[in-house]
Amino acid sequence: MNPDIEAIEQVVRDAEELQSDVAGFTGLLTEEVALVNFTGIRLRGRDQVKEVMAKALSTPLKDVLTKNELLDVTFLRPDVALAHLIKHVNDGRTGALTFVLVKEDDAWRIALAQTTPVMTS
């Protein structure tokens, strides 16, 4: 298997595993990350993500857990990839999650994470 795909799959697993660990999760991000959450709140930069995540984890949001299902990875350049995922939330919501990942110092990091709610009928 392609080592870059394996590394990106590991980032996806780590993002799920570290969703309640501020330092661990934000360590997966680029310094200038852009993040748009389920409700459309936009965050810019690792420091803002740390601050907002720490506050959220001190509320009932700490009990909202997700599972990430990786659908595919597309390389835009050898050091830039799109990862398309489905986010399954333990409260029944589903989201289309997109990561833009960049390779920095031989490590893949999330430069953009955007979740769009998937409406079910």
Side-chain angles (χ1 to χ4, degrees), residues 9-70:
E9 288 174 343
Q10 186 62 54
V11 171
V12 169
R13 286 190 299 273
D14 291 346
E16 179 181 311
E17 181 179 316
L18 297 169
Q19 64 188 291
S20 297
D21 176 341
V22 175
F25 180 80
T26 58
L28 302 173
L29 310 176
T30 63
E31 192 65 38
E32 296 301 320
V33 66
L35 188 146
V36 182
N37 73 8
F38 229 109
T39 61
I41 294 172
R42 296 174 181 267
L43 305 177
R44 183 65 184 200
R46 188 184 295 151
D47 289 340
Q48 187 178 30
V49 173
K50 282 180 185 177
E51 178 184 329
V52 171
M53 189 175 173
K55 286 179 185 174
L57 289 172
S58 68
T59 73
L61 286 175
K62 72 182 179 315
D63 298 322
V64 178
L65 300 176
T66 64
K67 295 230 175 258
N68 296 327
E69 176 186 350
L70 180 62

Side-chain angles (χ1 to χ4, degrees), residues 93-108:
R93 292 177 294 161
T94 303
L97 173 58
T98 302
F99 285 163
V100 175
L101 299 108
V102 295
K103 195 171 188 180
E104 297 179 334
D105 302 322
D106 292 324
W108 286 95

Side-chain angles (χ1 to χ4, degrees), residues 4 25 48 50 56 63 65 77 79 90 101 109 120-121:
D4 285 316
F25 180 80
Q48 187 178 30
K50 282 180 185 177
D63 298 322
L65 300 176
R77 300 187 327 212
D79 62 341
N90 68 345
L101 299 108
R109 302 222 183 281
T120 56
S121 52

